[in-house]
């Protein structure tokens, strides 16, 4: 095809490294940055095709590796409403990345265009950005070659957070429609979320300082810009771990993943009882909160705690608004602590469903709810108002001042939420809003329910593909009889629960366990890990702690 006539020439500058197989997963492509040159170039080509398949709508491309080590990098595509790439295109991405020759690259492009019935005369439009990783400029140059090869109308947003790029894509594609989302600029982002926050907290008691661990990533400069735009004592912040210039600091001993995994504060954060602390990850799409209790002990407020706080507040507002058949629901994964699930079902009496791990799966389930709250335990999540919820809010006729206030607050909350994707900064403002409006301390928030002790282990196996799951990854269907043995182990402990799921990136499986006491939890976890190792092809030396 004539439209692809320049592709081979550009592709020759970006040869695929030998002996490496690339796979597009939930987070896009992600691996050691220096190996990604050819892949990033080819994602530029695919972004063009994806835009043409959507009649010229804007497609986003983000170069980031989130919470990974600084040596890693990655790239992912963003669909027109700011959502993750449609799953059926993930296979195209992997096929393109693994084409061995320049001619095969053109062949793959041609086959995709034919299979999707793409009108190649449409001008493709793409926006792109990156985080602060040192391999970013090199990979950005490769992306720009891919875009140039297909004469894409492209816009570079520079260094921004991943959720900001998702926001820009949604704004650009909804401009001039009833679903217009906002101004597609950094200033527009800060204006939208900052002003919604101020409308919600106006007249409430002024909070104390919020201490933010920015993981030495892109969230550091961006959250300071947000604070400058808000310019209010309602958002008084102290940003730590904000060095984006020194090599080797990104996500090291800091960031949301470190805090969640190690159950401790990050480096550079001295905690005082009563103060509020939060951590972003490297590209600012995850957030966790934490605090020190009166004895100085570290207390984590993870994605489960954030989800239940938001769901509680939304449930109460919907009730006060008096809008019938407007239901708040919660989506969780199997990694959600059992106490949080019980609290949602039994205390809040809200519907909850489980989805497979990966925010794209949670997002899909949340779209089915009128107001869907979804968070992974790692702090990645958001809230969605579906079209039915929006219609009910538009049609609502308040009968009392309290109802009118609740309806207006629901509208303002929708403006405060980044519905396209999990967003650490927007989620932070949402949590701060609720704590300010309730006049709650972190300890009062935490008191809603007590997490059960849990343990997450990795078991290295010969072939992770032997492990098949169902029931949102909570139940093994293969290897045979292993699930029944796991169930028999869990039944020995009060409130015992355990599941096993294969890793998406390495030949290993994850073992999760929880129980009423720490001792029982650990015995269950190490017993299940031992059973997996012995019965399902454990590789290498058997870890001494496995039972």
């Amino acid at each position: 095809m004539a439209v692809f006539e320049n592709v081979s020439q550009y592709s020759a500058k970006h040869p695929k490294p030998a002996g490496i197989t690339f796979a597009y997963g939930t987070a896009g492509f992600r691996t050691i940055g220096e190996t990604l040159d050819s892949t990033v170039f080819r994602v530029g080509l695919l972004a063009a095709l994806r835009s043409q398949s959507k009649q010229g709508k804007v497609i986003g491309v983000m170069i980031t590796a989130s919470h990974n080590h600084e040596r890693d990098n990655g790239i992912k595509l963003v669909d027109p409403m700011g959502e993750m790439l449609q799953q059926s295109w993930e296979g195209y991405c992997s096929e393109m990345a693994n084409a061995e020759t320049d001619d095969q690259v053109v062949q793959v492009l041609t086959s995709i265009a034919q299979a999707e019935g793409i009108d190649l005369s449409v001008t493709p439009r793409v926006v792109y950005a990156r985080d602060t990783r040192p391999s970013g400029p090199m990979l950005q140059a490769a992306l720009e070659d891919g875009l140039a090869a297909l004469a894409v109308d492209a816009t570079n947003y520079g260094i921004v957070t991943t959720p900001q790029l998702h926001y820009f894509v949604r704004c650009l594609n909804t401009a001039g429609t009833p679903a217009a989302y906002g101004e597609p600029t950094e200033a527009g982002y800060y204006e939208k979320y900052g002003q919604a926050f101020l409308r919600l907290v106006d007249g409430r008691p002024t909070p104390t300082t919020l201490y933010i661990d920015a993981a030495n990533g892109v969230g550091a400069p961006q959250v300071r810009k947000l604070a400058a735009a808000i310019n209010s004592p309602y958002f008084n912040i102290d940003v730590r771990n904000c060095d984006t210039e020194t090599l080797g600091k990104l996500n090291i001993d800091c960031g949301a993943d470190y805090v969640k995994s190690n159950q401790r504060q990050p480096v550079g954060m001295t905690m005082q009882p009563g103060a509020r602390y939060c951590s972003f990850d490297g590209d600012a799409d995850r957030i966790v909160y934490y605090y020190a209790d009166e004895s100085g002990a570290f207390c984590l407020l993870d994605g489960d705690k954030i989800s239940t706080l938001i769901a509680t507040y939304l449930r109460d507002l919907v009730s006060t608004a008096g809008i019938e058949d407007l239901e708040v629901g919660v989506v969780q994964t199997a990694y959600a602590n059992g106490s949080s699930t019980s609290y949602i079902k039994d205390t809040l009496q809200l519907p909850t469903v489980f989805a497979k791990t990966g925010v794209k799966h949670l997002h899909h389930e949340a779209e089915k709810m009128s107001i869907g709250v979804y968070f992974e335990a790692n702090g990645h999540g958001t809230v969605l108002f579906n079209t039915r919820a929006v219609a009910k809010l538009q049609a609502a006729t308040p009968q009392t001042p309290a109802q009118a206030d609740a309806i207006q607050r629901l509208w303002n909350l929708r403006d405060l939420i980044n519905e396209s994707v999990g967003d650490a900064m927007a989620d932070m403002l949402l949590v701060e809003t609720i704590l300010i409006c309730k006049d709650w301390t972190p300890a009062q928030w935490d008191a809603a329910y007590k997490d059960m002790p849990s343990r997450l282990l990795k078991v290295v196996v010969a072939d992770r593909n032997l492990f098949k799951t169902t029931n949102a990854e909570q139940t093994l269907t293969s290897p045979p009889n292993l699930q029944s043995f796991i169930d028999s182990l869990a039944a020995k402990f009060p409130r015992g629960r355990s599941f096993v799921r294969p890793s998406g990136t390495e030949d290993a499986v994850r073992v999760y366990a929880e129980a009423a006491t720490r001792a029982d939890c650990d015995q269950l976890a190490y017993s299940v890990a031992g059973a997996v190792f012995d019965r399902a092809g454990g590789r290498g030396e058997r870890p001494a702690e496995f039972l």
Side-chain angles (χ1 to χ4, degrees), residues 166-209:
H166 285 254
Y167 163 86
F168 300 147
V169 172
R170 186 166 183 151
C171 290
L172 288 164
N173 286 314
T174 57
T177 75
Y181 203 62
E183 179 67 29
T185 63
E186 281 191 64
Y189 174 96
Y190 304 130
E191 173 78 11
K192 175 177 179 173
Y193 296 117
Q195 289 303 307
F197 169 72
L198 290 175
R199 290 195 299 272
L200 283 157
V201 299
D202 183 47
R204 307 285 176 157
T206 305
T208 56
T209 298

Side-chain angles (χ1 to χ4, degrees), residues 230-251:
I230 291 174
N231 190 27
S232 166
Y234 282 107
F235 191 57
N236 180 28
I237 62 172
D238 183 338
V239 186
R240 308 289 178 87
N241 296 318
C242 49
D243 184 354
T244 61
E245 301 295 329
T246 304
L247 293 179
K249 283 197 168 185
L250 178 66
N251 292 323

Side-chain angles (χ1 to χ4, degrees), residues 81-103:
M81 286 300 284
E83 73 274 43
M84 301 291 189
L85 177 67
Q86 183 179 312
Q87 193 164 357
S88 63
W89 273 66
E90 293 179 2
Y92 293 151
C93 292
S94 298
E95 183 183 5
M96 175 66 80
N98 293 304
E100 293 293 340
T101 67
D102 302 331
D103 287 344

Side-chain angles (χ1 to χ4, degrees), residues 316-323 326 393 396-399 402-404 406-407 410:
D316 292 347
L317 279 179
V318 168
S319 176
T320 302
I323 304 174
L326 182 60
L393 282 172
T397 304
Q399 302 299 313
Q403 287 183 344
I407 291 167
L410 285 166

Side-chain angles (χ1 to χ4, degrees), residues 25-271:
T26 299
F29 293 109
R30 191 175 294 181
T31 187
I32 297 171
E34 63 186 21
T35 69
L36 279 170
D37 180 81
S38 64
T39 297
V40 171
F41 164 75
R42 295 171 187 193
V43 168
L45 303 175
L46 279 170
L49 279 193
R50 184 63 178 162
S51 175
Q52 291 171 318
S53 78
K54 294 294 184 180
Q55 294 75 51
K57 288 190 179 298
V58 176
I59 296 297
V61 182
M62 186 70 197
I63 300 172
T64 182
S66 189
H67 60 279
N68 282 38
H69 191 280
E70 186 175 273
R71 68 176 178 272
D72 292 342
N73 216 322
I75 188 165
K76 66 176 183 177
L77 291 166
V78 179
D79 261 356
M81 286 300 284
E83 73 274 43
M84 301 291 189
L85 177 67
Q86 183 179 312
Q87 193 164 357
S88 63
W89 273 66
E90 293 179 2
Y92 293 151
C93 292
S94 298
E95 183 183 5
M96 175 66 80
N98 293 304
E100 293 293 340
T101 67
D102 302 331
D103 287 344
Q104 286 178 7
V105 169
V106 175
Q107 289 169 14
V108 172
L109 282 173
T110 303
S111 68
I112 295 171
Q114 291 174 343
E116 295 291 327
I118 296 172
D119 180 357
L120 297 175
S121 68
V122 172
T123 299
R125 295 192 298 156
V126 173
V127 298
Y128 60 98
R130 64 179 178 89
D131 68 12
T132 57
R133 292 169 188 274
S135 58
M138 172 197 75
L139 296 179
Q140 178 181 309
L143 173 65
E144 288 168 345
D145 272 358
L147 299 173
L150 292 179
V152 173
D153 178 0
T155 301
N156 177 12
Y157 273 94
I159 296 175
V160 299
T161 71
T162 296
Q164 285 181 312
L165 184 76
H166 285 254
Y167 163 86
F168 300 147
V169 172
R170 186 166 183 151
C171 290
L172 288 164
N173 286 314
T174 57
T177 75
Y181 203 62
E183 179 67 29
T185 63
E186 281 191 64
Y189 174 96
Y190 304 130
E191 173 78 11
K192 175 177 179 173
Y193 296 117
Q195 289 303 307
F197 169 72
L198 290 175
R199 290 195 299 272
L200 283 157
V201 299
D202 183 47
R204 307 285 176 157
T206 305
T208 56
T209 298
L210 171 65
Y211 296 89
I212 301 171
D213 157 33
N216 296 311
V218 65
Q222 303 309 92
V223 77
R224 284 177 167 154
K225 293 177 186 178
L226 175 65
I230 291 174
N231 190 27
S232 166
Y234 282 107
F235 191 57
N236 180 28
I237 62 172
D238 183 338
V239 186
R240 308 289 178 87
N241 296 318
C242 49
D243 184 354
T244 61
E245 301 295 329
T246 304
L247 293 179
K249 283 197 168 185
L250 178 66
N251 292 323
I252 297 298
D253 298 332
C254 59
D257 190 62
Y258 173 85
V259 172
K260 167 68 175 169
S261 299
N262 293 279
Q263 301 279 309
R264 59 170 297 166
Q265 73 265 34
V267 66
M269 196 77 85
T270 302
M271 296 176 65

